[in-house]
Amino acid sequence: MRKKGYTTLVLVMIVALVLSACGGKKDNAAGGDSGASGGKVNLTFTVWGDVNSGANEQQLADEFNAAHSDIQVKFEPIPSDGYGTKLTTSLAAGQAPDVFLIGEGDYFKYVDKGVVEPLDEYLKNDSSFSLDIFQKDLIENMNINGKQYYLPKDFNPLALWYNKRMFDEAQIPYPTDDWTWEDLIATAQKLTKKEGGKYTQFGFNAGKWEYPIYTYLWDHGTDIANEDGTQAEGFMNNEKTVAALEKYVALSKGENRVSPTPQDTETMGGDASMFMTDKLAMMVTGRWIKSDLDKSDVQYGSALIPKGPDGTRTSIIASAGWAINAASKHKQEAYELVKWLSGTNAQKIRAENSKVLPATVAELEQVKATEVADKPVIEMMNYAKKPVTMRSAHGPIFVEEFSKAMEKMLLDKQDVKGALDEAAKNVDSKIK
């Protein structure tokens, strides 16, 4: 009698476990509404921005739905300012979209968190799709620790952008391929003006955004980290870095400054606004600025980033990659969506509508064949170097401490060497 009761109890427990497992699978679907309904698998995907700026993605979502009778995709953009925070929170809560977009500075971070699905097995089993269609450097940047985690949305190399009208009015020749940073600074001095003791325009923006600063440091033979992004001491605060940053910070200080201070930039509406209203002559930024510039009446041109004292010229390729949520319950379908959002048709749409550079080889060659004004931007691909965030999972630590140090320097809260010594110490301490 006792044995029969025990057997019955075991059977009841097994049935309960099976039902629990099935129910759990349905209730814990990533994205909240990613389960199957009406015979279709429902997926969501997101990018930073709003519905208007994400018009290309909505178009691609509509076309995907029309082409896939078994999958229904919903596009849910997140405002740019809170993108990282909201995405991280939703991932932790198990409610993140099935597919999301990650910027190159966070590739390592999200992989390190374990929230991104490796694509290798999906690619291996898919004879209809090849990574060979993409720019090799982009794919390599999205391969973390030997695994492919992202597929490219688009990319933008940093270049030097200049206001032609301001150059013409001052009767100054446009930047050339032979320019050095000293040439840039000398020209910026001529393009900086004051009226009644107040600055009305600036020659160059030596701001606190780290990417242009990285190119300046690299061109002067130094860096804020070692090659594998594991050490700051002896790099972020070495003599070359201190000397280079003392010159860089001086560009926005004193009577002979050529750059707005962070406060000036904020007061005057930001560097892009200043550039479009003839208050800023030059800035180092990505080609994403082009869509805004083309909506204004500014006359602009692009040029190679200047060379350093020894002839070194560097840039950074800013990119974005599509990722599959590792907790998605429909990963195969999510993979189909990622392919669609990265494919040749998607690349063409974004290149035509948003002025970004296509990540695919054939489509980029088409742009190269017709592009004239922004040819230097494309050429800067040849000088691209990886910032610390693309070398190691520790990258965000370097950025956080370096940004704090730059703010202290620019606001005269601490001298350059002191700020860098403190930052280097903090980075290595956090890593350990």
Side-chain angles (χ1 to χ4, degrees):
M1 187 74 177
R2 185 175 180 180
K3 185 175 181 181
K4 181 179 179 182
Y6 176 78
T7 303
T8 302
L9 178 61
V10 170
L11 289 173
V12 169
M13 290 177 66
I14 291 174
V15 172
L17 285 170
V18 171
L19 291 175
S20 175
C22 293
K25 184 175 182 179
K26 182 177 180 180
D27 294 340
N28 294 328
D33 64 346
S34 299
S37 63
K40 290 187 177 184
V41 169
N42 294 320
L43 299 177
T44 58
F45 76 101
T46 191
V47 300
W48 51 82
D50 54 29
V51 174
N52 293 327
S53 63
N56 296 330
E57 312 318 316
Q58 184 60 62
Q59 177 184 341
L60 290 166
D62 293 340
E63 293 176 356
F64 182 90
N65 288 332
H68 296 77
S69 60
D70 57 338
I71 308 173
Q72 183 69 29
V73 166
K74 185 177 181 182
F75 173 49
E76 298 180 341
I78 298 174
S80 300
D81 289 344
Y83 184 80
T85 301
K86 186 167 182 179
L87 179 60
T88 301
T89 301
S90 62
L91 284 166
Q95 299 175 342
D98 300 274
V99 172
F100 45 83
L101 191 66
I102 298 298
E104 82 288 336
D106 290 326
Y107 287 166
F108 267 91
K109 182 172 75 173
Y110 282 90
V111 169
D112 194 49
K113 290 177 182 291
V115 297
V116 179
E117 175 79 1
L119 303 176
D120 303 84
E121 284 301 312
Y122 302 94
L123 292 165
K124 180 181 177 181
N125 297 325
D126 186 357
S127 60
S128 66
F129 190 78
S130 173
L131 295 182
D132 293 339
I133 66 172
F134 298 109
Q135 301 293 324
K136 185 178 179 181
D137 287 349
L138 294 181
I139 289 298
E140 289 179 350
N141 289 345
M142 297 176 180
N143 187 297
I144 311 298
N145 300 326
K147 292 184 178 181
Q148 194 70 41
Y149 283 95
Y150 307 94
L151 290 185
K153 172 180 177 284
D154 53 39
F155 77 105
N156 284 286
L158 266 62
L160 177 66
W161 296 76
Y162 61 94
N163 184 311
K164 286 186 174 182
R165 192 156 48 214
M166 294 176 71
F167 272 76
D168 292 342
E169 289 178 358
Q171 297 184 337
I172 297 174
Y174 299 148
T176 69
D177 294 353
D178 296 325
W179 258 29
T180 65
W181 278 97
E182 293 301 320
D183 293 323
L184 182 150
I185 294 169
T187 303
Q189 289 172 339
K190 298 174 183 177
L191 291 165
T192 301
K193 292 183 179 180
K194 282 195 294 186
E195 291 182 9
K198 184 179 180 180
Y199 284 93
T200 57
Q201 70 178 51
F202 294 94
F204 179 65
N205 183 31
K208 58 183 180 180
W209 183 34
E210 66 269 16
Y211 274 16
I213 300 174
Y214 292 161
T215 67
Y216 182 83
L217 292 176
W218 293 335
D219 291 348
H220 286 77
T222 189
D223 199 346
I224 68 168
N226 61 345
E227 195 58 36
D228 59 359
T230 58
Q231 183 178 334
E233 188 68 41
F235 296 90
M236 187 178 289
N237 60 343
N238 70 23
E239 291 183 3
K240 281 189 175 182
T241 305
V242 172
L245 282 179
E246 284 176 342
K247 289 183 178 180
Y248 189 87
V249 170
L251 297 177
S252 59
K253 290 186 177 184
E255 289 298 315
N256 296 319
R257 65 191 178 103
V258 300
S259 168
T261 63
Q263 298 95 320
D264 291 330
T265 304
E266 185 175 343
T267 301
M268 300 172 87
D271 56 358
S273 177
M274 292 173 66
F275 188 85
M276 289 186 283
T277 55
D278 299 342
K279 294 176 183 176
L280 179 64
M282 294 179 285
M283 60 181 176
V284 173
T285 190
R287 196 172 185 260
W288 56 79
I289 193 71
K290 186 175 174 67
S291 59
D292 288 333
L293 298 183
D294 287 343
K295 295 174 186 176
S296 70
D297 66 349
V298 66
Q299 297 173 18
Y300 67 91
S302 61
L304 301 180
I305 293 176
K307 296 179 289 187
D310 65 353
T312 299
R313 191 198 311 274
T314 54
S315 179
I316 296 173
I317 292 181
S319 62
W322 295 107
I324 296 175
N325 185 348
S328 171
K329 300 304 179 183
H330 303 285
K331 295 176 185 177
Q332 184 61 50
E333 290 83 357
Y335 168 71
E336 295 300 324
L337 176 58
V338 165
K339 281 199 304 177
W340 186 274
L341 296 173
S342 302
T344 54
N345 181 56
Q347 300 295 333
K348 289 178 181 178
I349 289 173
R350 297 192 194 98
E352 293 172 1
N353 298 344
S354 300
K355 310 300 182 183
V356 294
L357 294 176
T360 43
V361 175
E363 283 62 43
L364 182 61
E365 288 303 316
Q366 292 177 9
V367 173
K368 286 181 179 179
T370 57
E371 186 61 67
V372 177
D374 299 339
K375 186 179 178 182
V377 182
I378 300 175
E379 289 182 13
M380 285 308 303
M381 291 172 57
N382 301 324
Y383 304 98
K385 186 172 179 178
K386 290 184 179 181
V388 66
T389 45
M390 297 181 72
R391 298 180 227 161
S392 143
H394 304 304
I397 299 174
F398 285 86
V399 175
E400 179 186 9
E401 293 300 329
F402 183 67
S403 297
K404 288 179 183 177
M406 285 301 304
E407 189 168 345
K408 292 175 184 176
M409 300 174 211
L410 292 170
L411 296 178
D412 286 325
K413 291 184 178 180
Q414 197 169 5
D415 66 273
V416 173
K417 188 176 188 314
L420 292 177
D421 280 340
E422 183 178 334
K425 181 180 179 181
N426 289 342
V427 169
D428 288 353
S429 176
K430 289 182 178 180
I431 289 176
K432 290 177 182 177

